[in-house]
Amino acid sequence: MTPSPSSSKPSGQAPGDGAPPAGNAAYEDGVLTLSGDWTLPNYRHLEQQLAALGNPARTPGSLSLASLGRIDTAGASLLSEYLGPDALGRLAGEARELADETRRLIQAVADAMARYPASPTPERSRLREALARVGREMEAFGGLLWQLLGFIGLTLATLGSIALRPRRWRVTAFVAAVQDTGLNALPIVALLTFMVGAVVAFLGATILEDFGATIYTVNLVAFSFLREFGVLLAAILLAGRTASSFTAHIGAMKVNEELDALRALGLSPIELLVVPRVLAMMVSLPILTFVGMMAGLLGGALVCVVSLDISVTQFLAIVERDIALRHFLVGLSKAPIFAFLIAVIGCLEGFKVSGSAQSVGEHTTASVVQSIFTVILLDAVGALFFMEMGW
């Protein structure tokens, strides 16, 4: 509300001084004397004045407002907090020197603060805040998991509805997605797994040399890449490379309202955009996993030939003799599951884009983090399961 002038002018203001006179308060013999301007620019000073007075032993018998300048809702609310809304309203009504508009302003503020009292500020507890933060994070994680499960169900339902209808298969989109997710990623996957295989062989040879068992470097490389590293490295690379691409592509379409256009034409974005990408990933990742396994073994074999005087023939003979086929099948069986989840997470985050370039970036980052986390978590669970099953 606009500050209202009282019938009397404030004292102590120099002529021509543009600054409002600071308000003051004095309490003596049951009379609270107010002077100066009780307005928002003087709020901090007024608060200090009332704090210096301390809480009155009893409600003042009257208010002396002869020297009061201007007062607005900020000053009236400060008085209401100090005196109490009921006392302020009663004392303002008894003050005859107040202008009618000023009295009505003070009484309106007192009535409002009596009707809606300020709730006390709870004491801060770091433990409570930490638990609240953990609760919010768990609630957000539960909501995210629920959305993911729902989107997986929608994707599977759409896939089942078009499986027996060849006319609705998007072969062109599927082939293009296979080229993007599989063939284009082949060199980086092969190069990375080759170097990791060489590093694993070198570290294994360094440790096993102390025990005179460097020959078992072959077993170490073969076991690690056939069961874990081949599929894990390929999946992590696709999670960073392809899931982010899916999110950015679908998110940009949503920002440009292309998804709304598809729905307006009676077309399903899940059928057009999600299913071909999911199927392409489920084809590409097993192939990339196989290439990663072979490249990792090749890197390990190179280190064995150069550093351990183990020939390629001897390396292959040890792999054939000691490494069972089930280790290869265990590693390869994880690839379709990882591929499905990476593709679904990437597409889901694209649909969650809210309509700005910043949102596209945020959800692209989220898709990469969630995909990598999911892959590593499921790989750990799968490793424990296969170990307990004796596979």
Side-chain angles (χ1 to χ4, degrees), residues 98-345:
L98 277 180
D100 290 340
E101 61 270 22
T102 304
R103 181 180 293 106
R104 286 194 296 268
L105 183 145
I106 294 176
Q107 289 179 341
V109 171
D111 293 341
M113 296 192 71
R115 190 178 303 111
Y116 305 106
S119 57
T121 303
E123 296 182 2
R124 294 187 60 183
S125 172
R126 293 190 177 183
L127 177 60
R128 187 183 297 112
E129 291 178 357
L131 292 176
R133 188 179 302 112
V134 171
R136 287 192 296 269
E137 294 295 334
M138 292 302 297
E139 183 180 6
F141 177 77
L144 182 65
L145 183 60
W146 186 256
Q147 288 180 345
L148 179 60
L149 292 176
F151 193 75
I152 289 175
L154 181 60
T155 303
L156 292 177
T158 304
L159 182 61
S161 66
I162 67 174
L164 301 179
R165 301 177 184 178
R167 292 183 179 180
R168 297 178 62 179
W169 294 355
R170 307 289 173 176
V171 179
T172 303
F174 169 75
V175 173
V178 169
Q179 179 180 2
D180 181 52
T181 61
L183 295 179
N184 294 344
L186 195 62
I188 186 64
V189 171
L191 177 61
L192 179 65
T193 50
F194 174 83
M195 291 189 295
V196 173
V199 170
V200 170
F202 180 76
L203 293 177
T206 302
I207 299 299
L208 294 174
E209 186 178 7
D210 297 336
F211 303 95
T214 54
I215 192 66
Y216 290 105
T217 303
V218 179
N219 301 69
L220 174 64
V221 173
F223 272 111
S224 60
F225 271 87
L226 292 180
R227 292 186 68 97
E228 299 295 337
F229 284 169
V231 62
L232 190 60
L233 292 175
I236 290 176
L237 280 175
L238 285 190
R241 179 185 181 276
T242 307
S244 59
S245 174
F246 289 173
T247 303
H249 187 194
I250 296 177
M253 293 182 67
K254 187 173 182 181
V255 170
N256 296 330
E257 299 182 353
E258 295 178 39
L259 298 183
D260 296 333
L262 290 177
R263 295 188 180 97
L265 293 173
L267 301 175
S268 171
I270 303 296
E271 181 180 335
L272 289 175
L273 303 175
V274 177
V275 171
R277 286 173 167 81
V278 170
L279 294 179
M281 281 285 288
M282 295 181 69
V283 170
S284 299
L285 188 54
I287 296 175
L288 293 176
T289 298
F290 177 77
V291 171
M293 291 176 179
M294 297 302 105
L297 291 176
L298 181 61
L302 179 62
V303 172
C304 291
V305 170
V306 173
S307 301
L308 304 179
D309 294 329
I310 299 175
S311 66
V312 176
T313 304
Q314 188 178 4
F315 184 93
L316 294 177
I318 294 173
V319 171
E320 181 181 3
R321 183 192 66 199
D322 297 339
I323 310 301
L325 179 62
R326 71 174 185 274
H327 302 300
F328 170 76
L329 297 178
V330 164
L332 202 61
S333 65
K334 302 175 185 178
I337 301 174
F338 291 169
F340 179 82
L341 290 175
I342 292 171
V344 166
I345 290 173

Side-chain angles (χ1 to χ4, degrees), residues 54-130:
N55 293 325
R58 57 184 178 84
T59 303
S62 63
L63 285 175
S64 176
L65 305 176
S67 301
L68 180 65
R70 302 171 69 237
I71 186 169
D72 60 6
T73 53
S77 63
L78 195 59
L79 281 175
S80 178
E81 292 176 359
Y82 180 71
L83 300 175
D86 296 335
L88 178 62
R90 177 180 59 80
L91 294 174
E94 296 173 354
R96 301 304 178 187
E97 64 269 26
L98 277 180
D100 290 340
E101 61 270 22
T102 304
R103 181 180 293 106
R104 286 194 296 268
L105 183 145
I106 294 176
Q107 289 179 341
V109 171
D111 293 341
M113 296 192 71
R115 190 178 303 111
Y116 305 106
S119 57
T121 303
E123 296 182 2
R124 294 187 60 183
S125 172
R126 293 190 177 183
L127 177 60
R128 187 183 297 112
E129 291 178 357

